[in-house]
């Protein structure tokens, strides 16, 4: 049996992050980061039965974030852990219609959804095993900006630029791929029927859909700088 490799999932403790962790646990040992490490978490307990798991506290608003990341990577290396893949899930999804914007809220949106990923990729890239793939979870709003969430849409569009630019900087040792996703795991306040109607396929996505795309990108050594879209055709309506 092939030995499991270590991957890091940034934002891997909640919702899509923890769902991806379960989907990837069969083939990978996992380092999960979160801005808030829970004392008790049933999903983490189940995950730790299936594979080795390490937890790291990375907060987008930490002024010493870059130093913290480097220190944690060094500690992992000291324990014999070499990272061969990274998935960046972390982010917020603020509702911000025109007229509600202010400098503080915009700064927070940029900090979590754009500045944080930039710093994480910068820190991780030199410390990944050659041939690794960094995968960034984007949003289908990069194709059709959301009028009610325009600051968020701008941040994700900036991340799309990161995918394309960093693929040139990191080649040939590291690949980078983005995933522009539609609705996966809608929150309790959402209307699933309405969201389904906003797609050509009249269905919502699942974590399994995203896992398949992530595994495809990781196992495709000739793929880099691309953004794969999984939105059920939402952008074409």
């Amino acid at each position: 049996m092939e030995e499991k490799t270590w991957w890091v999932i940034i934002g891997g403790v909640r919702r899509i992050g923890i769902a991806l962790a379960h989907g990837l646990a069969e083939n990978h040992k996992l380092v999960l980061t979160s801005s808030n490490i829970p004392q008790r978490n049933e999903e983490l307990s189940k995950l730790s039965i299936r594979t080795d798991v390490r937890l790291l506290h990375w907060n987008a608003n930490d002024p010493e974030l870059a130093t913290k990341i480097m220190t944690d990577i060094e500690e992992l290396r000291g324990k014999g852990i070499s990272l061969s893949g990274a998935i960046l899930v972390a982010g917020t999804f603020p509702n911000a219609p025109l007229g509600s914007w202010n400098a503080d809220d915009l700064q927070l949106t940029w900090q979590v959804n754009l500045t944080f990923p930039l710093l994480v990729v910068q820190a991780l890239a030199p410390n990944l095993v050659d041939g690794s793939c960094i995968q960034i979870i984007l949003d289908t709003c990069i194709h059709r900006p959301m009028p009610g969430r325009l600051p968020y849409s701008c941040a994700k569009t900036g991340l799309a630029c990161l995918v394309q630019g960093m693929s040139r900087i990191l080649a040939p040792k590291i690949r980078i791929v983005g995933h522009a996703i539609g609705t996966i795991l809608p929150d309790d306040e959402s209307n699933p029927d309405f969201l389904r109607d906003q797609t050509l396929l009249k269905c919502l996505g699942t974590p399994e859909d995203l896992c398949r795309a992530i595994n495809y990108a990781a196992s495709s050594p000739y793929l880099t700088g691309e953004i794969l879209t999984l939105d059920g055709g939402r952008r074409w309506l």
Side-chain angles (χ1 to χ4, degrees):
M1 181 177 179
E2 188 174 349
E3 185 177 354
K4 293 182 177 182
T5 55
W6 282 96
W7 279 18
V8 58
I9 304 178
I10 298 91
V13 173
R14 298 180 63 252
R15 292 181 57 75
I16 292 178
I18 193 67
L20 286 178
H22 278 286
L24 298 170
E26 181 177 351
N27 296 314
H28 303 286
K29 303 173 185 178
L30 299 169
V31 175
L32 308 181
T33 84
S34 176
S35 60
N36 184 20
I37 302 294
Q39 294 297 317
R40 294 182 180 180
N41 184 296
E42 183 178 349
E43 290 302 317
L44 283 175
S45 297
K46 292 178 181 177
L47 184 65
S48 64
I49 296 173
R50 302 181 57 206
T51 192
D52 290 340
V53 179
R54 301 288 187 277
L55 299 179
L56 299 177
H57 180 244
W58 291 359
N59 191 323
N61 298 310
D62 181 359
E64 302 298 325
L65 175 65
T67 301
K68 178 73 165 62
I69 293 175
M70 296 306 299
T71 299
D72 286 342
I73 291 174
E74 286 297 324
E75 290 183 357
L76 290 174
R77 187 180 290 116
K79 297 175 182 177
I81 296 175
S82 297
L83 299 174
S84 61
I87 306 170
L88 206 155
V89 183
T92 61
F93 189 56
N95 185 36
L98 183 65
S100 70
W101 303 345
N102 61 68
D104 289 341
D105 288 345
L106 289 174
Q107 178 60 31
L108 182 59
T109 298
W110 311 145
Q111 183 72 23
V112 178
N113 293 296
L114 185 56
T115 303
F116 178 62
L118 284 166
L119 291 175
V120 169
V121 171
Q122 177 180 249
L124 282 178
N127 293 286
L128 296 176
V129 174
D130 286 359
S132 298
C133 183
I134 299 174
Q135 304 194 51
I136 299 179
I137 308 305
L138 304 170
D139 191 297
T140 190
C141 69
I142 68 171
H143 304 301
R144 286 183 58 185
M146 302 178 188
R149 303 181 192 269
L150 194 52
Y152 165 84
S153 300
C154 290
K156 290 299 184 182
T157 302
L159 279 188
C161 180
L162 174 69
V163 170
Q164 297 163 354
M166 286 297 285
S167 67
R168 299 179 67 183
I169 294 172
L170 299 179
K173 293 184 176 181
I174 304 295
R175 298 182 296 111
I176 185 163
V177 175
H179 300 273
I181 64 173
T183 302
I184 294 176
L185 295 181
D187 59 37
D188 294 337
E189 298 180 0
S190 299
N191 182 336
D193 292 334
F194 172 79
L195 294 173
R196 289 188 189 96
D197 285 342
Q198 302 305 303
T199 71
L200 288 179
L201 298 179
K202 304 306 177 188
C203 66
L204 301 181
T206 68
E208 290 76 17
D209 292 322
L210 184 53
C211 268
R212 280 190 288 270
I214 286 171
N215 284 324
Y216 165 74
S219 62
S220 301
Y222 204 46
L223 176 69
T224 193
E226 292 296 335
I227 296 173
L228 309 179
T229 299
L230 297 96
D231 67 353
R234 180 174 180 174
R235 63 173 162 154
W236 304 121
L237 286 177

